[in-house]
Amino acid sequence: MSDTTIEDWARLCALLDDDPELEPAVRQAVADETDAWQVLIDGLDEAGALAYLDGKDTGIELADALPALPRIFRTGVDVDEVGDVDGELSAAVVRADELLNPHGLRLVYLDEDTDAYPLVAVPTANVDEIIALSERLGHTARAFG
């Protein structure tokens, strides 16, 4: 693995969460040539920074999951109305983003190629770089709205 790739993984970890165990675990996965993306997602989940939903979930499940995310919890934002959004989960994510935006946060989806729907709350200023780094590393991250 090139130094640039390792630096990209390290930067992505820093942009997604401040858990001190995340970057070393991802670096080790890169060194071992294992699935660093899955290690990243699992590490975010273990750190409590990930709303790990199913693609068939609704706004109700999203509204239940979001307050547990530390960045969202610290804002005190009330996301209950996200549960009132009918339709696909992505529509509820758009509504959640509208509520989080005044607090400088957005939700980013990290694609796992499964029915899972992992979402992480990140500072709005980091979203474009997270998406670009993910793409450069061969993975998909996307924002909504």
Side-chain angles (χ1 to χ4, degrees):
M1 227 16 87
S2 73
D3 287 342
T4 302
T5 301
I6 292 170
E7 290 170 13
D8 285 349
W9 280 109
R11 177 69 179 151
L12 183 59
C13 289
L15 292 169
L16 290 170
D17 194 58
D18 58 3
D19 179 54
E21 296 179 19
L22 184 62
E23 182 188 339
V26 171
R27 279 183 181 269
Q28 188 62 52
V30 172
D32 293 344
E33 297 183 10
T34 59
D35 190 350
W37 186 254
Q38 191 60 53
V39 170
L40 174 74
I41 291 172
D42 290 347
L44 290 167
D45 191 31
E46 289 171 16
L50 199 67
Y52 207 80
L53 302 166
D54 184 277
K56 294 178 178 84
D57 283 342
T58 66
I60 294 169
E61 287 85 8
L62 181 60
D64 288 345
L66 291 179
L69 300 181
R71 286 183 174 146
I72 295 175
F73 178 79
R74 286 190 295 265
T75 69
V77 67
D78 182 0
V79 294
D80 287 345
E81 68 183 74
V82 171
D84 298 334
V85 176
D86 291 328
E88 293 186 14
L89 184 55
S90 59
V93 173
V94 169
R95 181 62 190 133
D97 266 353
E98 292 169 354
L99 297 170
L100 295 172
N101 189 45
H103 300 276
L105 295 176
R106 298 226 14 229
L107 294 174
V108 173
Y109 166 78
L110 305 173
D111 187 24
E112 276 192 299
D113 293 327
T114 66
D115 288 338
Y117 209 92
L119 296 167
V120 61
V122 298
T124 302
N126 295 354
V127 172
D128 291 340
E129 188 176 0
I130 289 167
I131 291 169
L133 281 169
S134 298
E135 185 176 311
R136 191 161 57 227
L137 292 166
H139 298 281
T140 302
R142 68 181 164 96
F144 300 81

